[in-house]
């Protein structure tokens, strides 16, 4: 065994394809709602006899639709990702859910929040799980999503099975792995054993440490500052009312995200 390759993308994985379609369907659902609203406005205007204004609007609308279709066709040819037919189903489904909420007098903000969460959660998860790479045991190198590292630096690999995907956590020898080296690798479950064996195959001495402790301490300081900022805005939100509460919570949430990122990078560099 000298080389092992794998591909775990939306083109090969039903899980990643479903996550992406749910997210893109939520975005498309908003466009579907806008189109339905435009049709309603046009119909009302026709009944009111405003034909000249409608003619101009329809002309610009047709030109814009033609340009949008042209760009979509070019993007489809270049990327080969999702076809328009595949996106219609999820988009219409989200629009129907929104329409049902309006008819049933349910809180519309719940549907909008669900759409927002679908995009905010599904797309990052699909992007994090996406993985393409190879392990070359003869050259002692492995590559994941265009990031390359040495097999000699790998200490051990832990495997976690999540349905059809196996998540491999690559651990490096102390001081051997850098911040840019792949650490979380998602692979098809059926290929996980041979990929893990290939990653742990090297008996070479690990490379010398080139880490700078000052960088790690600086990153930890930024993490502490971010969490302190989040706490300050949460305190601000707890003592305010109205829109100020939402602003405080949103800023605190973003500060926590950045604090977590800085802490992770500090751990990697430390």
């Amino acid at each position: 065994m000298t080389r092992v390759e794998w591909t775990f993308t939306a083109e090969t994985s039903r899980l990643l394809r479903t996550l992406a379609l749910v997210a893109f369907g939520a975005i498309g659902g908003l466009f579907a709602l806008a189109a339905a609203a435009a049709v309603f406005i046009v119909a009302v205007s026709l009944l009111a006899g405003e034909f000249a204004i409608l003619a101009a609007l329809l002309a610009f609308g047709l030109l814009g639709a033609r340009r949008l279709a042209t760009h979509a066709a070019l993007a489809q040819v270049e990327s080969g990702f999702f076809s328009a037919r595949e996106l219609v189903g999820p988009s219409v489904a989200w629009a129907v859910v929104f329409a049902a909420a309006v008819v049933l007098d349910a809180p519309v903000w719940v549907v909008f929040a669900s759409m927002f969460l679908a995009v905010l959660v599904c797309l990052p998860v699909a992007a994090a799980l996406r993985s393409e790479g190879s392990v070359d045991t003869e050259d002692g190198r492995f590559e994941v999503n265009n990031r390359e590292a040495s097999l000699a630096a790998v200490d051990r690999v832990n495997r976690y099975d999540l349905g059809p995907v196996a998540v491999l956590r690559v651990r490096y020898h102390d001081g051997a792995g850098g911040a840019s080296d792949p650490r979380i690798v998602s692979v098809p479950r059926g290929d996980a054993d041979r990929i893990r064996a290939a990653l742990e195959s090297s008996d070479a001495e690990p490379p010398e440490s080139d880490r700078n402790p000052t960088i790690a301490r600086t990153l930890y300081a930024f993490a502490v500052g971010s969490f302190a900022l989040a706490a300050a805005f949460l305190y601000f939100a707890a003592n305010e009312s109205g829109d100020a509460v939402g602003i405080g919570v949103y800023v605190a949430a973003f500060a926590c995200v950045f604090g977590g990122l800085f802490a992770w990078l500090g751990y990697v560099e430390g």
Side-chain angles (χ1 to χ4, degrees), residues 24-40 68 87-99 112 115:
F24 285 121
I27 298 173
L30 295 177
F31 284 102
L33 291 172
V39 170
F40 176 78
L68 180 62
L87 292 174
V88 166
S91 300
V92 172
W94 276 109
V96 169
V97 169
F98 183 88
F112 276 119
M115 290 181 170

Side-chain angles (χ1 to χ4, degrees), residues 184-266:
I184 303 297
V185 182
S186 303
V187 299
R189 191 167 179 176
D191 299 330
D193 287 336
R194 63 191 185 98
I195 295 173
R196 180 180 182 180
L199 288 171
E200 296 178 330
S201 63
S202 178
D203 295 326
E205 288 293 326
E208 295 182 359
S209 173
D210 59 353
R211 295 184 184 178
N212 188 343
T214 303
I215 296 177
R217 288 194 291 267
T218 303
L219 290 169
Y220 279 132
F222 277 114
V224 171
S226 297
F227 287 127
L229 180 65
F233 272 95
L234 283 177
Y235 178 80
F236 166 78
N239 291 277
E240 294 294 333
S241 60
D243 294 339
V245 176
I247 295 174
V249 171
Y250 286 141
V251 175
F254 278 111
C256 284
V257 170
F258 281 105
L261 290 175
F262 283 129
W264 167 253
L265 291 175

